[in-house]
Structures are given as C-alpha cells and as structure tokens.
Amino acid sequence: RIDFMVRDSKMRNVIAADSNEPRLTKLGVNILSVSALLESGSATEPKPTAGPNALAYAMYTSGSTGEPKAALIEHRGVCNLASALGRLYSIDSKTRTLQIPPFTFDAWIAYVSFTLCNGGTLCIAESHERVGEPLADLLLRKRINVATFPPSALTVLPDGEYPDLRAIAVAGEACPQALVSAWAPNREFFNIYGPTETSVGATYYRCDPEDRGDPPIGNPIANVLAYV
C-alpha cells in the first residue's frame, strides 16, 4: 500500500522516524528523518505562500470500491474546520484535547488543527492507550477536557468519574442513544459526521440525554451547506 501511494501521488519526500528503514529505502524517494528535521529547524517564521485553494493534503481512502483513491483537501477546508470546531468545543489556551485516531486516519487532522490553531494543548494517545482501562487512565492522568471517540470505544470505556472531561464527541460510527444517556449528563456531547472529502467533519448534533431515538447527523458546521 505504501508503495502504491508513493507511485500514485508522485511524492518526492518521505518523513520517517528512521531514514535507514529498509522498507522505505526501496521506494526511490528522498527520506527525511524526524530527528534531522528538528535539528535543522530555523528560528525564523516562514512566510505563507499557499492560497486558500491550494492543496493541503491528500488522504487515501480504504479502497473498498477498487484501488485506493486520494481525497484532495484544500487549505480553506482545513482552516474552516479548525475555526468551526474550535468554537464548537470552546477551545482556548486552557483546553487539553486527546487525539485517539492514528495518523493514517483523517480524524487526526481535525484534532491537530482545531487544538493548535486555537491555542490548546494536544495530547496524543499511544496505540495501546486507545481503548479500555489504558484509555481511562490516560484521560485522568492527562486531565483531558475534550475528546472524540468511536462509539464502540466509548462503549467499553470503564465507568467512573472523569472530572476534567467537559465535552465528548463521537464519530465514525452510528451512535446509539443509550451511549448518550450514559455519558452526556453534566457535559456536552456531540455527534459528528463527515466523509473524508469534506475535510473530516461536515455536520454536528448537540445530543441531549433525554432525547428519544438515536442522534441524527445534525446541522452543517459553519460555512458548510448540507443537501438532502
């Protein structure tokens, strides 16, 4: 899959933890190590050169209908997502958010952008901390305020007091109302929906524990139109 994405995107550079990784040296691209990039960093802030319509990233889909295809996302989409979700979750310099999705899933872009662009602190879960007791321990230890879960992960999150967790969002799967009733009291609870092509998230619904029936996908975020 990596070989396919390199060939399909015609990328010239790959950032890797180890520039001597055998799997990557065979790709025929320039490999940049993370440590070397950090050591060569400049104290001078670069001037932006990309406009709103310039490509920000290409996210490859699962390829369920054939070969994987790259969804091409513009800077304006990412900037709008950061602004809209930053307001929705009330992100500021005192907010600590938790990034659960791995970097191969588009949801990580939402957390990096709306957290850092609004002055918050981003905490990143390791692979063994994304479910169950380890996830519960991470929420408490890092005093997380805002987190997004797949409903299946929230279902198996141990019951208990999470005093710092003021806002929960669910995404990626249909959310049952029973989950809202269990986790929404005394905090905000959002159902987020959006395909990769719409810059991660397109609609939201502010859930109420007293609602009847499973939560809908809701209304479009700022500067987005939803057509039925």
Side-chain angles (χ1 to χ4, degrees):
R1 179 178 176 86
I2 292 175
D3 182 63
F4 168 79
M5 290 190 293
V6 169
R7 287 186 286 102
D8 185 65
S9 65
K10 298 180 175 61
M11 68 176 71
R12 295 190 296 269
N13 301 294
V14 170
I15 299 175
D18 183 0
S19 59
N20 295 316
E21 167 65 46
R23 182 179 57 175
L24 300 178
T25 55
K26 297 185 295 184
L27 297 177
V29 295
N30 183 34
I31 302 174
L32 307 171
S33 73
V34 174
S35 58
L37 289 172
L38 292 175
E39 291 172 0
S40 64
S42 171
T44 303
E45 182 177 353
K47 294 182 179 180
T49 58
N53 297 332
L55 188 65
Y57 64 87
M59 179 64 66
Y60 278 80
T61 63
S62 60
S64 56
T65 58
E67 283 193 334
K69 301 174 182 65
L72 307 180
I73 308 301
E74 299 174 346
H75 277 275
R76 61 176 177 168
V78 183
C79 291
N80 188 69
L81 182 75
S83 175
L85 294 188
R87 291 196 301 271
L88 184 66
Y89 300 147
S90 301
I91 305 296
D92 59 23
S93 61
K94 298 179 182 179
T95 306
R96 298 174 65 82
T97 69
L98 178 63
Q99 178 189 305
I100 298 176
F103 292 114
T104 52
F105 186 51
D106 67 350
W108 78 268
I109 295 169
Y111 260 78
V112 169
S113 60
F114 77 66
T115 300
L116 301 185
C117 289
N118 291 285
T121 299
L122 179 67
C123 302
I124 301 175
E126 300 287 349
S127 58
H128 67 279
E129 296 175 317
R130 293 175 184 154
V131 70
E133 292 284 356
L135 176 56
D137 176 69
L138 182 63
L139 290 168
L140 294 170
R141 180 162 40 87
K142 295 294 186 179
R143 303 186 66 178
I144 300 300
N145 307 122
V146 179
T148 299
F149 306 89
S152 54
L154 191 57
T155 299
V156 296
L157 184 67
D159 294 333
E161 296 293 329
Y162 298 91
D164 299 295
L165 189 61
R166 61 171 174 79
I168 288 176
V170 291
E173 303 165 356
C175 178
Q177 178 60 25
L179 209 55
V180 178
S181 299
W183 290 96
N186 302 316
R187 60 171 60 96
E188 291 189 295
F189 193 109
F190 301 94
N191 187 34
I192 306 294
Y193 169 80
T196 300
E197 290 80 1
T198 63
S199 307
V200 187
T203 68
Y204 75 97
Y205 180 75
R206 194 184 301 266
C207 302
D208 189 317
E210 303 300 323
D211 283 346
R212 294 184 178 180
D214 297 341
I217 64 172
N219 299 314
I221 64 173
N223 301 312
V224 170
L225 295 177
Y227 294 91
V228 178

